[in-house]
Amino acid sequence: MRNAASLLYLSLLICAAAQHADASQEAQLREFLRSRRNSRSYHGTFKVNKNIGRSVASNLLRTSYSGGGAYQSALKAADKITSLPGQPDGVDFDQYGGYITVDEKNGRALFYYFVEAPQDASTKPLLLWLNGGPGCSSLGYGAMQELGPFRVNSDNKTLSRNQNAWNNVANVIFLESPAGVGFSYSNTTSDYDLSGDQKTADDAYLFLINWLERFPEYKSRPFYISGESFAGHYVPELAATILIQNSYNSKTAINLQGILVGNPLLDWNMNFKGQVDYFWSHGSMSDEVFANITRHCKFDDSDNTGMVCNGAVDAFNPGEIDYYNIYGPICVDAANGAYYPSGYLPGYDPCSYHYTNAYLNDPAVQDAFHARMTKWSGCAGLDWKDAPISMVPTILWLIEKKLPVWIFSGDFDSVCPLPATKYSIHDLNLHVKTPWRPWTVNMEVGGYVQQYKGGFTFASVRGAGHMVPSYQPERALILLDSFLKGELPPYVPVQ
């Protein structure tokens, strides 16, 4: 059973602990969230670090600019991946893997995996993908299980091509962020105890500035940021940092053109309210439990200590379901150590994390990625220092700066559910430009979309869970393509 405080932070907990993280990781994060739930560091709004300008200059002087263009060309050549173990024949795009140092003094470096488009890469935009957590891997989840060019097969050794990979329409960077996640690291272990939203945004900005020195052909290319889950913090915060730094330095250092975030954690209190609504409206919560929760919980910070609210929530038990997709199969861990899907969902395997974990811990694979030899894990238990309760003020600021902001939501997700996202969108207090309408894929509804004045756009993806590209890869790719073109996804009525 969960008390009200733990349900209030269920969104962050599950986003942080990832679907198949081990029990100790989940227990560690649960205890962390309980201990931090009343901390003042989780209130207020995100503030861009104005002093990062000096930090950027000093770090670039010590890293990227050392040796000039020839040095950077050598680093880029060293990062090129010849091939990945078990990859299929006919790979027709370039891929790179390696590290960008963001703090030379502390020895802090972030790992990236970069895949260019198979066709006309020089004309396609640059896209950064960030998984959430905080503390989960964009390589292990985003690249290998969602929108990357490959999926790991059940033999743990070979790869198959993802026909709906996002590098079909963009050149994609998968960044393991912050340091301590996946292959990213710091030689100063105390860095891991200083993790938080602000530091993550600052380091990601430094990563991009340095990365563009290594790949200068992308400096003027249109740049977009996308992600999911706790990236509802990462993406807007990095976007704000970029816009501030472009203004601060009186030049466009990074050509940011828009952000696209899926199933985001935007407001912790509204996420709690949205989860209660979602479970009840989808038949997982009884009328009586719903009435008791809505009567005694205020869906604000006071619920953290409200004993009556706690008792109301204690009566809720959804049973053995996948919180990321309440209608999807689960991965059954058998007593003999084997694992298998509880059911069949076309194109999706709930046990894919196990395959990915085994693959990325193969020394030959780590060598091919140019990663340091280490025990890779999907999520890291980091001591998180700061995170705003609500991202609404930051998103409003981005809209005021005329940055295209798109949010999408898989409608089978109970972790950061569609109703919760709608509550936060309502708090933006924007005027509707294009009313809610369906959009279609292969002559059936792929989801629904609504656009607001100022360019803000919200879309649902029908039949998708928390990790939309895993459950509905074709619909996710069409949504991305529409976003990059600045057009609403198409609606083709049945004749």
Side-chain angles (χ1 to χ4, degrees):
M1 296 295 181
R2 302 175 179 87
N3 60 29
S6 60
L7 183 59
L8 172 60
Y9 294 97
L10 179 62
S11 57
L12 184 57
L13 172 64
I14 300 180
C15 297
Q19 184 173 355
H20 297 289
D22 59 30
S24 62
Q25 169 70 19
E26 182 171 342
Q28 178 182 358
L29 286 169
R30 187 188 300 272
E31 181 57 35
F32 159 69
L33 292 168
R34 283 192 184 123
S35 67
R36 292 295 195 274
R37 64 181 179 263
N38 293 319
S39 171
R40 292 184 179 180
S41 65
Y42 285 86
H43 294 262
T45 59
F46 176 77
K47 296 180 180 179
V48 177
N49 181 5
K50 297 293 184 66
N51 295 322
I52 194 176
R54 296 193 191 94
S55 178
V56 169
S58 61
N59 277 289
L60 289 178
L61 183 63
R62 291 194 300 266
T63 56
S64 287
Y65 290 157
S66 301
Y71 177 67
Q72 290 299 323
S73 295
L75 291 175
K76 176 183 175 182
D79 284 355
K80 190 168 184 179
I81 296 172
T82 304
S83 66
L84 293 173
Q87 76 176 32
D89 294 334
V91 172
D92 52 355
F93 58 88
D94 288 336
Q95 49 186 333
Y96 299 81
Y99 290 93
I100 295 289
T101 299
V102 296
D103 187 331
E104 188 170 287
K105 180 180 178 181
N106 285 2
R108 194 163 68 251
L110 302 184
F111 180 84
Y112 77 92
Y113 173 50
F114 176 52
V115 290
E116 292 190 307
Q119 303 292 330
D120 303 318
S122 63
T123 65
K124 288 184 169 62
L126 180 64
L127 176 76
L128 174 69
W129 173 267
L130 299 170
N131 273 87
C136 293
S137 167
S138 299
L139 173 66
Y141 292 99
M144 308 307 290
Q145 299 179 61
E146 300 186 67
L147 56 120
F150 304 118
R151 298 279 178 89
V152 183
N153 297 323
S154 59
D155 62 5
N156 301 339
K157 298 178 180 179
T158 60
L159 304 174
S160 57
R161 193 75 176 259
N162 175 14
Q163 297 302 317
N164 292 289
W166 283 18
N167 72 321
N168 283 316
V169 296
N171 304 287
V172 186
I173 307 171
F174 298 93
L175 177 63
E176 290 195 305
S177 173
V181 174
F183 293 126
S184 296
Y185 70 93
S186 176
N187 291 330
T188 306
T189 56
S190 60
D191 277 351
Y192 303 144
D193 298 327
L194 301 173
S195 303
D197 281 24
Q198 186 73 63
K199 187 173 182 181
T200 299
D202 291 352
D203 277 2
Y205 179 79
L206 286 165
F207 166 86
L208 289 169
I209 292 294
N210 279 280
W211 189 92
L212 289 169
E213 291 300 316
R214 193 170 299 183
F215 292 82
E217 65 271 29
Y218 286 96
K219 281 188 175 182
S220 61
R221 201 77 62 89
F223 174 67
Y224 300 86
I225 315 172
S226 188
E228 70 189 11
S229 193
F230 196 81
H233 284 229
Y234 289 162
V235 173
E237 289 166 345
L238 177 56
T241 300
I242 290 171
L243 293 184
I244 286 289
Q245 292 307 315
N246 284 347
S247 174
Y248 182 74
N249 295 311
S250 300
K251 66 175 183 179
T252 303
I254 299 174
N255 187 21
L256 180 62
Q257 296 296 307
I259 63 173
L260 172 71
V261 193
N263 290 78
L265 177 64
L266 297 177
D267 184 295
W268 296 6
N269 293 315
M270 291 301 96
N271 214 75
F272 175 31
K273 181 177 174 63
Q275 284 178 317
V276 172
D277 289 351
Y278 188 86
F279 282 125
W280 174 73
S281 63
H282 287 75
S284 300
M285 180 183 289
S286 72
D287 293 350
E288 292 75 19
V289 170
F290 175 77
N292 208 27
I293 291 175
T294 54
R295 182 182 304 116
H296 296 296
C297 298
K298 297 181 179 179
F299 305 108
D300 60 23
D301 293 348
S302 67
D303 288 334
N304 295 335
T305 56
M307 296 304 295
V308 178
C309 178
N310 289 351
V313 176
D314 283 345
F316 174 60
N317 180 11
E320 293 298 321
I321 63 172
D322 181 352
Y323 288 100
Y324 287 90
N325 182 341
I326 65 171
Y327 299 115
I330 63 173
C331 184
V332 178
D333 296 316
N336 63 359
Y339 40 81
Y340 57 90
S342 64
Y344 177 69
L345 183 64
Y348 174 70
D349 187 337
C351 298
S352 60
Y353 172 79
H354 292 289
Y355 320 148
T356 300
N357 184 66
Y359 184 79
L360 292 178
N361 276 295
D362 183 334
V365 171
Q366 295 188 2
D367 183 63
F369 270 116
H370 309 130
R372 299 199 319 173
M373 294 296 169
T374 187
K375 179 174 174 53
W376 181 91
S377 61
C379 295
L382 300 173
D383 188 4
W384 211 253
K385 295 299 184 184
D386 64 282
I389 290 292
S390 175
M391 290 304 299
V392 167
T394 303
I395 292 174
L396 272 174
W397 185 86
L398 294 174
I399 295 170
E400 291 169 359
K401 295 298 179 182
K402 303 188 184 306
L403 184 74
V405 176
W406 283 40
I407 289 176
F408 63 96
S409 184
D411 57 11
F412 284 0
D413 176 30
S414 72
V415 177
C416 300
L418 190 149
T421 303
K422 281 191 169 185
Y423 284 134
S424 290
I425 290 173
H426 182 267
D427 288 342
L428 292 171
N429 197 28
L430 301 173
H431 296 289
V432 174
K433 178 181 179 181
T434 303
W436 190 253
R437 67 155 174 84
W439 56 279
T440 50
V441 178
N442 296 326
M443 303 306 294
E444 68 173 333
V445 173
Y448 299 85
V449 65
Q450 182 160 292
Q451 192 166 60
Y452 299 78
K453 292 181 180 178
F456 178 85
T457 303
F458 175 58
S460 71
V461 183
R462 190 169 68 92
H466 188 70
M467 299 183 291
V468 170
S470 291
Y471 299 102
Q472 294 291 344
E474 185 178 11
R475 294 174 185 178
L477 180 59
I478 287 175
L479 186 63
L480 170 69
D481 189 49
S482 299
F483 164 70
L484 295 176
K485 291 176 179 176
E487 304 171 353
L488 294 184
Y491 174 50
V492 182
V494 177
Q495 300 298 321

